[in-house]
Amino acid sequence: KPLKLDEEILKPLRDTNIGLVVDPGFEIAGASQSIAYELMKRTNTHVEALGAEDRAVGAAERYENGTPKVENIVKRIRKIIKENKKEV
């Protein structure tokens, strides 16, 4: 804190007009959502947040709920790219 958004971070967003913030915490009302919002405000681009699923975290391995898996990140990126192509 505070979040420092310099040109090195902002330029790729301006160049591509899309972005994704990935966070191990909960997506809803979490840091990723807040950072995505700040990036959108500063760059006037589409930035989404991707965090842990909105469900309880359990102790057993099958109930783990942490950082999004690579497959989910790739799936979201593809969705964002596809939606961005429709807008252009």
Side-chain angles (χ1 to χ4, degrees):
K1 289 184 178 179
L3 178 62
K4 295 180 183 177
L5 300 172
D6 59 20
E7 195 56 31
E8 185 178 356
I9 293 170
L10 301 176
K11 185 177 180 337
L13 292 172
R14 289 188 183 113
D15 290 347
T16 62
N17 289 316
I18 57 174
L20 178 66
V21 178
V22 179
D23 181 22
F26 289 108
E27 181 178 319
I28 298 172
S32 60
Q33 207 173 45
S34 178
I35 293 168
Y37 173 75
E38 289 300 320
L39 291 169
M40 284 193 296
K41 276 186 8 183
R42 295 278 304 271
T43 62
N44 198 32
T45 62
H46 180 83
V47 182
E48 292 190 14
L50 180 62
E53 294 176 19
D54 190 24
R55 60 181 173 84
V57 178
E61 187 174 328
R62 67 178 183 262
Y63 295 121
E64 286 182 355
N65 185 21
T67 304
K69 295 185 180 348
V70 172
E71 303 84 36
N72 293 341
I73 296 169
V74 170
K75 184 177 177 180
R76 179 68 73 87
I77 291 169
R78 287 184 174 151
K79 177 180 175 256
I80 293 169
I81 291 170
K82 184 178 179 181
E83 289 173 354
N84 192 54
K85 285 182 180 180
K86 288 180 186 177
E87 294 175 8
V88 174

